Amino acid sequence: MQIKSLYSKNFRNLDVNIDNFSDEMNIICGENAQGKTNLLEALWLFTGAKSFRSGNESNFIKFGENKGIIKTEFISGGVKNTAKMEFSEKRTAYFNDKALQNPSKLAGKFNAVIFTPDDISIVRDGPEKRRRFLDLNIGQIFPQYIEILRDYLRAVKQRNEIIKNLRYDSTAGIMLDSFEETIAEKGEIIKDYRRKYVLLLNDNLFSIYNGLSSGREEIYLSYFEKNGEKPLIDTLIEKRKEDVFTGKTSVGPHRDDLDIRINGISARSFGSQGQKRSVALSLKLASAEVIRGKTGEYPVCLLDDVMSELDEKRQNYILNHISGWQSFITCCDEATVSRLKRGKIIEIKNGETV
Ligand SMILES: Nc1ncnc2c1ncn2[C@@H]1O[C@H](COP(=O)(O)OP(=O)(O)OP(=O)(O)O)[C@@H](O)[C@H]1O
Ligand SMILES: [Mg+2]
């Protein structure tokens, strides 16, 4: 996939009209707080996913304005497409000038992977971050997954409300069976997608991580299921009493995890800072390989502030690995910019190109 242009007006501090991106490396450079990450964020939103930044959606519009817009032209599957997003009280996405029901309908049409320094949290933090990583990626290649996940999470929320009420009202359990059936049905489908996705990731991850660690380390992922080998429906019924006490549903894919091991040892518990960062980056690169396996082309690679965090060997490995696919790398350090001679340099100052 290649992005040909980006137009932005009142999207955060970004006002640009760029139509000469390189099909390979684009280096977005500039001083701190000029709008480099905002540019990557604008591109990322065309995937239909939520922003990689936390915060309220209304923050997308430039302070003091009430409307913002971003537009792009891109080539995918040899065909030129356009995508547009308008921000006002709500966000409206368009694909080839047709309004979509919601922005997530862009999933699968525009493919990108993003790496930010915060992604180390995938390895370091609790299971929620790893589940989110899986869900985001699965949703990009199987858009139908997003709806299944939404239905599942809704049913879990409803079960949680019922079991909380059960403490005071024993008749509240009437609807429990039906919600548990939905949780089990959708939950088994989600688990199946995730198991298969982890296998696909493993196929690609091993060589990437091994290369990044100069052949010294081996990585292996496995999908950890809270309900073990038992069918989800049985465990849900079994856990009812306990769940009424806590007010939460204790089993199901919303409690599962991704176990990451380096040379057989848990990366989360024992990995060094550099290992965790390398794992996070390798996971992203492997997810791009999976997308390529499914769609036949590489997604666009968005790397925010990664170069400053890696030693030169690792920087070079990454640059070699992504050569041949379109990438956007932000960077505020002159020395790194001058080493990345192959790319097109786009300088951003005060939200505009220089
Ligand atoms: N809604 C908004 N309206 C106007 N400006 C905003 C809005 N949201 C964020 N900004 C501003 O955009 C500026 C640029 O942010 P951005 O994160 O893109 O900087 P950056 O160039 O990536 O900097 P760094 O090198 O520090 O990462 C920040 O000063 C931020 O306050
Ligand atoms: Mg930034």
Side-chain angles (χ1 to χ4, degrees), residues 19-247:
D19 61 4
N20 56 350
F21 289 126
S22 159
D23 284 347
E24 296 206 355
M25 194 165 302
N26 294 278
I27 297 142
I28 317 296
C29 65
E31 291 175 2
N32 291 135
Q34 299 306 308
K36 302 181 298 295
T37 304
N38 292 346
L39 192 150
L40 292 195
E41 186 183 32
L43 295 176
W44 171 253
L45 289 178
F46 292 119
T47 61
K50 291 211 166 96
S51 173
F52 50 86
R53 282 174 152 167
S54 49
N56 199 313
E57 292 251 316
S58 61
N59 294 350
F60 290 142
I61 303 170
K62 185 182 279 186
F63 303 140
E65 300 287 340
N66 51 24
K67 263 201 321 233
I69 184 170
I70 51 175
K71 268 194 299 199
T72 184
E73 290 168 307
F74 63 100
I75 295 188
S76 121
V79 179
K80 193 163 192 172
N81 295 298
T82 63
K84 184 168 79 172
M85 216 169 266
E86 287 172 353
F87 306 88
S88 53
E89 294 88 56
K90 69 184 199 88
R91 179 147 69 108
T92 316
Y94 299 80
F95 180 66
N96 290 335
D97 293 322
K98 206 172 142 248
L100 302 174
Q101 201 186 346
N102 59 57
S104 73
K105 298 281 176 207
L106 279 170
K109 297 182 173 12
F110 180 104
N111 291 311
V113 291
I114 172 94
F115 183 81
T116 78
D118 285 348
D119 283 332
I120 193 172
S121 65
I122 297 173
V123 189
R124 187 192 56 200
D125 292 0
E128 198 188 335
K129 290 277 164 56
R130 287 179 288 285
R131 288 192 296 263
R132 194 173 134 73
F133 167 77
L134 292 176
D135 292 339
L136 257 172
N137 286 297
I138 299 171
Q140 267 204 58
I141 36 180
F142 304 106
Q144 66 273 28
Y145 178 82
I146 300 170
E147 249 151 73
I148 300 169
L149 186 66
R150 204 178 294 145
D151 292 346
Y152 170 82
L153 293 173
R154 196 182 303 127
V156 170
K157 211 168 149 202
Q158 283 160 328
R159 182 181 185 264
N160 289 350
E161 271 158 29
I162 292 177
I163 54 178
K164 271 183 211 149
N165 289 336
L166 263 178
R167 287 186 219 156
Y168 320 103
D169 174 7
S170 59
T171 62
I174 297 170
M175 297 293 288
L176 204 54
D177 286 345
S178 111
F179 286 127
E180 284 177 353
E181 267 167 40
T182 309
I183 294 173
E185 184 207 327
K186 307 279 175 190
E188 296 287 5
I189 301 174
I190 292 166
K191 282 159 163 294
D192 208 44
Y193 269 107
R194 289 193 187 161
R195 272 185 229 114
K196 287 185 181 138
Y197 185 74
V198 169
L199 288 179
L200 291 173
L201 266 186
N202 261 333
D203 284 348
N204 295 289
L205 186 68
F206 187 89
S207 67
I208 296 173
Y209 188 79
N210 195 249
L212 199 56
S213 63
S214 305
R216 287 194 298 267
E217 297 167 13
E218 295 188 349
I219 192 166
Y220 186 73
L221 303 179
S222 54
Y223 184 57
F224 171 79
E225 301 179 52
K226 194 84 191 285
N227 58 310
E229 307 261 290
K230 281 190 193 165
L232 188 50
I233 190 73
D234 295 351
T235 352
L236 282 166
I237 296 168
E238 222 174 272
K239 294 273 182 186
R240 269 187 194 175
K241 224 175 178 172
E242 204 178 294
D243 290 356
V244 168
F245 184 70
T246 60

